[in-house]
Amino acid sequence: MISLRNLEKFYQQGPDRFYVLRRIDLDIKEGDFIAVMGPSGAGKSTLLHVLGMHDTAWTGEYRFLEHDIHKLDRKKRFEIYKKHFGFVFQSYHLLDDLTVAENLDVPLSYRDIRKPERQAMVADILDRFQIVGKKDLFPSQLSGGQQQLVGVARAIIANPKVILADEPTGNLHSSQGLEIMEMFKKLNQQGATIVMVTHSETNASYAHRIVRIVDGWIS
Amino acid sequence: MIEDLRNALRRLLNKPGAAAAAIVALAVGIGFSTSTYSVADVLLLRPLPIPEIDRVFMLGAMAESDPLSFHSVTPYDFAYYARSPRSVEALAASRGWAANITGAGDPVPVEGARVTSSFFEVMRIQPLFGRVFLQQEDSPGNDRSIVLSYNLWQRQFGASPEILGRNVELSGRVFQVVGVMPKGFTFPQPSDFWVPLALSSAEWADSGSFYLRVCGRLQPGATLDQARAEFKVLAGDLARQFPVSHGRLNARLELIRLRVSGDFTPQYTRMTVAAALFLLLIACLNVAGVQFSRVLSRTREMAVRGALGAPRLRLLRQVVAESILVAFAGAALGLLVASWSLDILKSSMPPEVERFVPGWQRLGLNPLVVFYTALTAIAAGIVSGLGPALWLSRTPILENLHESGRSSTGTAARHRLRNTLVAGEIVVALVLLCGAALMVKGFRAIGRPPVANDPARILTLHVTLPQNRYPDHLAVSVFQSRLLDSLSRAPGVQSAAITSNLPYSESANSSFVTFEGRPSLPDGRPKDLTQVQNISGSFFATLGIPLLQGRAFSGAEARDGQRVAIVTAAFVKQYFPGETPLGRRFQLGDGVWWTITGVAGDILHNFTDRSSEPLVYLPYTQSGWGSFDAALLTSGDPYALLPQVRHAIRDIDATQSLSLVRSFRKLIDDSTTGIGYVASILSVLAGVALFLAILGVYSLMAGAVRERTREIGIRLALGARRSHILRMVFREGLLLAAVGIPVGLASSLGVASLLRRLLFGVTSLDPLAFVAMPLALTCALLAAGLVPARRATRTDPLIALRHE
C-alpha cells in the first residue's frame, strides 16, 4: 500500500547538510498496524508527516496505492491525502470555538458532502464512540481522554484507509491511553491501516510491527 | 459561505475586543465615505429631480480666451440656436427675476425666473398640482400665469389647497397661479416661482444683450458630443454675423447635473469623495493589521483545518468572511456616523447659501446611498482581509503542525507585511493631512477681507427695482440718490455707498474696451476687456479702498455732462504701463467716451481670482440699472440699523423690499461657504486619518513588543540597559516613519499639483503643509510608539523568560 524507497530529508546548514531522515526504505501493507519508535529527535514525527504529505521537502520515492507521490504536485498530493488519510495529533488540536459535533463535521465539510449526509455521518460516529451525550460540549468542557477520543473520531469520520497518529496518548493518563489504544485496535481490526509514533512500549505492543528510527536511519 | 460566516461570527463574539476596534475603525471610514457619497449624490449625480437627467444640458457662451467661462446668451442667439439642432429635442431660455410680492402688506422679496414655455418640456417635471405653461403663454400680453415653487407655496401661502386661480402681485404686476411644482425642484437656482418669458419681436432680435440662460434636452440616443458639434457650427454662424460681440465666443454645452452647481462644486465634491476613500483605505489597512494579528493567533487552528483536509482557498475564504462580517458591522455603525455627519453638514449650511445649492434639501441617507454603503462594506472587507489572506496563502500551514501549532516560519515575511500596512497608512494619512492643511490655510486666506475697513461693521443689502416702475436710468438714479441721501443721514452711519456689485457678491459685469488713439483689431473688433462697476463717490471711503491718484466722484456727475471714470491700478498696469492715465479716454462698446479722473487701489472681487483684474468704476449717476447693492459703514452693530434702512426705503417707495441683508463679513463668509465646507470636511477626515495612523503604529509596536517579550527578557538578563531596549523598540517605528513620510510627501506634492486649480489663497507648494505636517505626523507617530516602548523597558526578565 505504501512504499518508501531511499527517502531522505535534510536541512541545509551553510555548506553542510543536516539529515533528519536517511535512506528510508519502508513497505506498509493494507491493514498493517505499525508503531514507529525511537529517541526524541530521531525523525519519527518527520517520517509521519512525510507519509501524511504535510512535508513536501524530501527526496526519494514514495508510492501510495497506484500513485507515485514523489511525481505529483502539491495539489494532487493534497487530494490523495484528503481522500485516504486521517490524522490524530498528540495534543488533540480540536477547534476551541466548535462543539464536539461541529469538530467532527469539519473534515466532512471539506469533502463536498451534502449537509444531511454529513449530519448522519456525525450522528453515526458519535454513536460508535459513545459520545452522543457530549456532542454539544466545547473541547474545554472535556477531559484530555475525551478530547483525544473526539480527535480519533474526527480522524476516521471520512473513512480514511490510513490513520496516522503522532503520539496519540502522549498527553493522557494511562487509563485514558488504554482506551484510545483499544479504539485503534478495533479500527485496525475493521480494516484501517495505522501508523503510530509512540514512545510507549505498551502502546507499541498493539502494533503488528515496530519500526525503530535512530538519527534518521531505520535500524 | 454561510457556514464560514456563521463560524466567523462566533469567533468575533468570542473575542470581541479586537473586533470592536476594527469595527469602529471601519465605521468611521465607511461612515465618512457614505456621507461624502450622499453629498456627491445630490450635488453631482441627482442635483435636480429631473427625469433622465443625463439628457439635459445647459448651453452657455464661452470666451475663446477662457475655456472655463460660461456666459449667458442673447435673445437672438437663443432664437438662432433653437431653430436647427437635430440632436436636441427641446431648448428653453430663462432669465432670473428678483421681485417683490406686493399688494398685501409689506413687500416680500422673492427670486424666480421668467422662462419660455418649452422650459417645462425640457425639465419634464410634472407639477404637484395644476399645470405648467401653455405654448402661447410666452408671448407678450398672454404672460399672466405663474407657477409657484413648493417652498413659496408653503411659506407664503400656507400650503393652501385653493391656491390655483389666485392672483399674486409681483412688483406691481398681477399673475394668476396655474400650478405648484413638487418639493425639491428649484431651477434655475434659486426659484420661488416661474412666469413666462414673453419677449417682443424687437427683444428677440437683440444680439447685444447677454442675459438668457439656456437649457435643453437631447433627443433619445443623441450624445452631448453630437450636440456640441452642432452648436459649434451655429456659434460660428453667429460669430460671422456679429463679429464685434460674438467674434470670440463659442458655444459651451455641459450636462445640467455637472453645471447647475457651478464650475468648482463638482470638482470639490470629487475631491472630498476621494479624501473619504483615502480615509476608508487607512481604516482598511488598520483593520487588515487587526485581522492579521487574529490570523496569526489562529495559525494552529489553520494548520489543523489544513490537516483535516481544508483546501487553501477555503481557509482564505474563512479569513475574508471574517473581514466582510467586520466590515458589515462597521457599515451598520457607519450609517449612524453618516447620518450624524450629514445632520451636522445640513444644519451648518447658511440658508442664504443653501438656496443656491440644488438638491441640498434632499441630502440624507436613501436606498441608493445604503446600497453604496453595502458595496463599500464588501470592498472594505475584501481589501482588509486580502493582506492576511495572502500571507496565509504563502505560508506552509501544514508544516506548522511540527511545532505544535506554533509558527516558526515566515517571521520576516510577517513583519514585512505588517510594516507595509502601517507604512501605507502613514503615506495616505500624510496625503490627507497635507491636502487638509492646504485647504484650511487657503480658506483662512480667502476669508480675509479684501478691503481695509472692518467688514463686520459694514451692512450690505440688495435692491431690485421693477422695470415697469423704474423704466430708465433716470428713474433708477433718482431712487438711488434719494436712498443714498437718506441712508447717509441715518444716525450711526459713517458712510453709505451704492454699487452695482459688491466684492465677493459673485456678480460682475465686463465689457470690451477701446482706447482713444489706439487701433482695434483689423476686423474692427475691440481687443481688450475690463470689468465695469457702477458706484457712488462714497464707495471707496465706505469699504476702505485707497484712491491712489486723482479724485473720487462727487455725486454731481450728470448723465449729460462729461462722462468720468476711475480705474484700478491693475487697469493702469495693463493698459497704461509707465504712462499717466489721468485724462485718457476710452469707450466701453456703447460709443460713449469716458475720461479717467482717478486711480483706485486693487481689490480681489472673488476668492477665485488669482490676481486683480482690470476694473473701471463709473458713477451711478451716469451709468447703471435697477439691480444694485448698498453698503453702510457703521460705528457699531450694523444690524441695529436695519429698521432705519427699511424705513428709508419705504419712505421712497412703499412697494420696495430689501433682500440679502447681511454684514459684509457675512457676505464674505457666505461666498466662501463651499470652500469652507471642503476645508472643514478635509480637516475632519485628516484628523481621523491621523488618529487611525497613530492607532496603527501603536498596534504594530505593541504587537512587536509582545512578540519580542522573550527576546527583551534575554537581553535584559544579559545586561542590556533600559535605553537600549527603548532604542531597539523605537527603531522600528522610526524606520516606518522614515519610509512612509518621504513617500507620503512625494505623493502629497503630486496630489497638490493635480489639485492646484482648486487651491485658492495658497500655493500648491506651501511650506506649512509640506514641512509642518510631516513633522507633526512624525511627532504623533513617536508619541504613539512611546507607550509600548516604555512597556518594553519595564519588562521583568524572569517573567519574560517564562513567557513562552
Side-chain angles (χ1 to χ4, degrees):
Chain A
M1 184 183 208
I2 294 174
S3 168
L4 305 181
R5 288 288 170 272
N6 201 26
L7 192 137
E8 294 196 327
K9 179 175 173 66
F10 59 85
Y11 296 111
Q12 196 75 37
Q13 292 182 332
D16 302 325
R17 287 177 169 182
F18 174 73
Y19 281 91
V20 189
L21 294 174
R22 205 73 213 264
R23 294 181 199 163
I24 300 288
D25 289 333
L26 180 65
D27 291 296
I28 301 170
K29 293 193 190 73
E30 199 161 349
D32 260 355
F33 188 160
I34 292 180
V36 181
M37 299 189 75
S40 292
K44 308 182 294 292
S45 290
T46 304
L47 177 63
L48 201 71
H49 285 286
V50 167
L51 288 173
M53 298 171 216
H54 302 158
D55 196 332
T56 51
W58 44 265
T59 58
E61 292 179 9
Y62 175 2
R63 191 166 171 79
F64 175 74
L65 297 175
E66 70 278 17
H67 307 286
D68 288 326
I69 301 300
H70 53 279
K71 292 180 182 168
L72 299 180
D73 60 22
R74 198 175 75 171
K75 197 173 168 189
K76 285 188 181 130
R77 288 181 189 189
F78 187 66
E79 284 307 312
I80 292 168
Y81 167 77
K82 213 161 80 166
K83 190 172 173 190
H84 298 293
F85 287 79
F87 211 104
V88 179
F89 306 95
Q90 179 181 359
S91 44
Y92 334 131
H93 285 330
L94 297 182
L95 301 179
D96 300 335
D97 297 333
L98 305 185
T99 63
V100 166
E102 287 167 337
N103 263 291
L104 293 174
D105 183 58
V106 170
L108 301 176
S109 70
Y110 298 140
R111 284 168 171 78
D112 296 330
I113 302 170
R114 287 173 55 243
K115 187 143 191 178
E117 203 178 332
R118 278 159 43 194
Q119 283 170 335
M121 291 168 82
V122 169
D124 180 50
I125 204 93
L126 285 166
D127 193 38
R128 268 174 72 190
F129 279 67
Q130 299 176 351
I131 47 175
V132 176
K134 309 213 175 328
K135 72 182 175 65
D136 294 323
L137 298 182
F138 286 94
S140 58
Q141 296 168 295
L142 302 177
S143 69
Q146 288 168 335
Q147 287 191 50
Q148 191 59 298
L149 206 58
V150 177
V152 176
R154 187 179 62 179
I156 67 156
I157 192 166
N159 295 320
K161 281 188 159 56
V162 183
I163 298 170
L164 302 173
D166 191 358
E167 299 195 44
T169 63
N171 289 351
L172 299 179
H173 294 304
S174 55
S175 60
Q176 292 172 326
L178 201 65
E179 190 183 353
I180 294 299
M181 290 316 299
E182 285 300 324
M183 180 58 70
F184 277 132
K185 185 177 171 186
K186 202 167 148 191
L187 290 170
N188 180 243
Q189 284 165 351
Q190 287 166 358
T193 304
I194 298 175
V195 181
M196 173 182 69
V197 167
T198 183
H199 280 112
S200 158
E201 292 291 346
T202 313
N203 288 353
S205 67
Y206 282 83
H208 304 159
R209 184 154 59 109
I210 296 175
V211 174
R212 293 188 187 274
I213 299 186
V214 179
D215 294 337
W217 298 82
I218 291 182
S219 62
Chain B
M1 190 70 192
I2 289 171
E3 201 173 315
D4 287 334
L5 286 170
R6 204 185 58 211
N7 289 336
L9 179 65
R10 185 187 292 176
R11 271 190 303 277
L12 291 176
L13 292 177
N14 278 349
K15 286 178 185 166
I23 287 168
V24 169
L26 275 181
V28 171
I30 292 176
F32 283 113
S33 153
T34 299
S35 54
T36 53
Y37 176 79
S38 304
V39 174
D41 181 42
V42 293
L43 294 187
L44 287 187
L45 302 178
R46 297 180 301 165
L48 296 167
I50 299 175
E52 295 179 276
I53 193 167
D54 277 339
R55 282 176 54 202
V56 182
F57 62 88
M58 288 179 76
L59 164 67
M62 175 185 75
E64 280 171 6
S65 56
D66 180 9
L68 287 180
S69 56
F70 200 94
H71 303 295
S72 298
V73 305
T74 72
Y76 183 90
D77 297 349
F78 172 74
Y80 193 79
Y81 284 141
R83 268 181 229 158
S84 31
R86 277 176 302 174
S87 55
V88 175
E89 190 178 274
L91 206 62
S94 66
R95 182 185 191 184
W97 184 19
N100 293 310
I101 296 181
T102 49
D106 287 342
V108 178
V110 284
E111 288 187 64
R114 300 172 194 270
V115 298
T116 55
S117 59
S118 54
F119 177 79
F120 291 104
E121 197 184 328
V122 170
M123 295 295 135
R124 282 231 187 125
I125 191 153
Q126 296 300 314
L128 187 65
F129 50 84
R131 63 170 175 84
V132 292
F133 301 136
L134 306 174
Q135 216 167 17
Q136 67 276 14
E137 279 182 316
D138 59 3
S139 56
N142 295 321
D143 54 335
R144 291 285 166 179
S145 300
I146 183 170
V147 175
L148 303 180
S149 75
Y150 183 87
N151 277 354
L152 186 65
W153 174 58
Q154 295 268 318
R155 191 173 75 226
Q156 189 66 24
F157 302 100
S160 164
E162 280 95 40
I163 188 71
L164 293 184
R166 261 176 71 173
N167 284 342
V168 175
E169 191 179 303
L170 283 182
S171 297
R173 282 194 65 190
V174 177
F175 293 86
Q176 189 179 53
V177 178
V178 297
V180 174
M181 294 311 283
K183 191 178 180 179
F185 178 74
T186 60
F187 178 80
Q189 200 78 13
S191 287
D192 290 321
F193 65 86
W194 296 264
V195 294
L197 175 73
L199 300 185
S200 64
S201 309
E203 285 171 318
W204 280 121
D206 181 358
S207 64
S209 308
F210 293 80
Y211 62 82
L212 289 184
R213 299 215 286 179
V214 180
C215 55
R217 180 175 282 272
L218 295 170
Q219 290 280 9
T223 66
L224 193 64
D225 282 340
Q226 286 171 345
R228 280 184 177 133
E230 285 187 282
F231 279 97
K232 194 175 176 186
V233 173
L234 296 174
D237 293 346
L238 288 169
R240 277 188 290 280
Q241 289 178 49
F242 310 105
V244 172
S245 57
H246 290 66
R248 292 176 184 192
L249 295 177
N250 209 329
R252 182 177 167 196
L253 271 74
E254 299 292 345
L255 287 179
I256 196 168
R257 67 178 174 82
L258 296 179
R259 181 65 224 170
V260 70
S261 309
D263 262 330
F264 290 109
T265 304
Q267 297 180 53
Y268 279 128
T269 308
R270 287 188 196 108
M271 187 166 133
T272 50
V273 169
L277 289 178
F278 268 33
L279 178 67
L280 182 61
L281 180 61
I282 295 179
C284 287
L285 291 173
N286 224 302
V287 174
V290 173
Q291 290 297 86
F292 192 59
S293 298
R294 291 176 71 89
V295 168
L296 281 182
S297 69
R298 289 169 54 203
T299 314
R300 184 190 74 109
E301 181 202 325
M302 292 297 175
V304 172
R305 284 183 182 272
L308 293 175
R312 195 164 286 262
L313 192 67
R314 185 76 186 270
L315 296 179
L316 302 187
R317 213 169 70 185
Q318 203 175 311
V319 175
V320 174
E322 204 170 300
S323 297
I324 288 179
L325 211 60
V326 166
F328 267 102
L333 209 59
L335 282 176
L336 288 179
V337 174
S339 165
W340 162 77
S341 56
L342 287 175
D343 283 347
I344 290 181
L345 268 185
K346 282 179 86 170
S347 62
S348 59
M349 173 66 90
E352 296 88 343
V353 181
E354 183 186 321
R355 298 183 321 137
F356 293 94
V357 186
W360 192 259
Q361 287 182 345
R362 289 184 287 114
L363 182 62
L365 300 178
N366 59 47
L368 192 70
V369 171
V370 174
F371 177 67
Y372 164 85
T373 308
L375 284 185
T376 311
I378 292 172
I382 291 171
V383 169
S384 58
L386 215 55
L390 283 176
W391 176 81
L392 199 63
S393 72
R394 288 179 186 173
T395 307
I397 303 166
L398 293 177
E399 287 184 11
N400 289 331
L401 287 171
H402 290 270
E403 310 293 329
S404 302
R406 269 195 60 226
S407 170
S408 65
T409 54
T411 309
R414 192 165 79 201
H415 282 166
R416 211 166 33 242
L417 178 65
R418 204 190 270 178
N419 288 352
T420 307
L421 290 174
V422 178
E425 281 187 53
I426 293 173
V427 170
V428 184
L430 187 56
V431 172
L432 271 182
L433 281 171
C434 289
L438 285 174
M439 287 304 296
V440 169
K441 194 174 176 200
F443 173 63
R444 292 180 66 171
I446 61 174
R448 281 197 282 274
V451 293
N453 288 343
D454 179 6
R457 283 177 46 218
I458 299 172
L459 183 72
T460 68
L461 51 102
H462 186 80
V463 177
T464 305
L465 300 176
Q467 213 179 351
N468 53 338
R469 292 169 63 83
Y470 298 88
D472 54 25
H473 174 260
L474 181 64
V476 169
S477 66
V478 166
F479 179 95
Q480 288 173 326
S481 294
R482 287 184 63 191
L483 179 65
L484 198 57
D485 184 50
S486 174
L487 294 178
S488 303
R489 283 190 284 104
V493 173
Q494 293 181 347
S495 173
I498 56 172
T499 172
S500 51
N501 51 294
L502 280 162
Y504 280 48
S505 63
E506 293 178 15
S507 64
N509 304 303
S510 52
S511 174
F512 287 110
V513 57
T514 314
F515 296 98
E516 191 175 33
R518 292 187 191 175
S520 305
L521 289 177
D523 59 6
R525 285 186 286 152
K527 61 179 181 181
D528 299 314
L529 203 64
T530 182
Q531 290 193 32
V532 182
Q533 193 174 339
N534 305 304
I535 58 166
S536 63
S538 50
F539 177 75
F540 300 118
T542 305
L543 267 69
I545 299 170
L547 196 64
L548 306 176
Q549 293 180 48
R551 56 179 171 79
F553 302 136
S554 66
E557 292 83 4
R559 193 171 167 83
D560 51 0
Q562 186 198 28
R563 301 294 183 96
V564 291
I566 294 171
V567 296
T568 58
F571 186 96
V572 174
K573 190 178 170 193
Q574 181 148 343
Y575 299 124
F576 297 104
E579 299 177 45
T580 304
L582 297 183
R584 305 292 290 266
R585 300 206 308 166
F586 60 84
Q587 286 182 331
L588 291 172
D590 54 0
V592 176
W593 286 106
W594 298 85
T595 304
I596 299 174
T597 58
V599 177
D602 286 322
I603 57 168
L604 291 180
H605 270 255
N606 288 298
F607 73 82
T608 52
D609 290 345
R610 305 284 177 188
S611 59
S612 295
E613 298 289 316
L615 170 65
V616 168
Y617 293 109
L618 306 177
Y620 77 94
T621 48
Q622 293 186 332
S623 168
W625 48 89
S627 173
F628 61 92
D629 294 319
L632 284 77
L633 178 65
T634 67
S635 50
D637 174 17
Y639 290 101
L641 283 174
L642 208 50
Q644 295 171 59
V645 173
R646 285 193 203 287
H647 194 258
I649 297 255
R650 210 174 296 145
D651 273 356
I652 303 168
D653 184 343
T655 65
Q656 269 315 304
S657 70
L658 302 175
S659 61
L660 298 174
V661 183
R662 53 193 162 168
S663 71
F664 191 39
R665 174 77 265 164
K666 179 87 170 51
L667 187 153
I668 293 170
D669 291 344
D670 285 351
S671 75
T672 56
T673 295
I675 203 162
Y677 261 72
V678 177
S680 307
I681 291 171
L682 283 188
S683 302
V684 171
L685 296 180
V688 178
L690 179 65
F691 171 71
L692 289 179
I694 289 172
L695 203 66
V697 169
Y698 170 81
S699 312
L700 173 99
M701 291 184 61
V705 167
R706 213 167 29 244
E707 276 178 24
R708 295 169 76 178
T709 303
R710 186 164 171 270
E711 178 198 336
I712 291 168
I714 293 170
R715 284 175 184 273
L716 287 170
L718 292 175
R721 285 203 301 272
R722 306 280 173 194
S723 58
H724 290 134
I725 303 299
L726 200 66
R727 214 176 309 142
M728 184 184 90
V729 175
F730 254 127
R731 196 180 303 133
E732 195 157 359
L734 275 175
L735 268 176
L736 285 176
V739 172
I741 287 185
V743 177
L745 203 55
S747 312
S748 305
L749 285 166
V751 170
S753 105
L754 283 176
L755 297 176
R756 65 180 179 278
R757 268 199 60 230
L758 299 178
L759 297 171
F760 298 102
V762 67
T763 69
S764 59
L765 290 172
D766 186 77
L768 172 83
F770 295 106
V771 177
M773 287 300 119
L775 277 177
L777 183 59
T778 308
C779 292
L781 298 178
L782 288 177
L786 203 60
V787 177
R790 281 174 60 86
R791 192 182 302 148
T793 62
R794 288 199 292 267
T795 307
D796 182 336
L798 289 177
I799 296 174
L801 291 172
R802 281 206 301 269
H803 185 74
E804 308 227 330

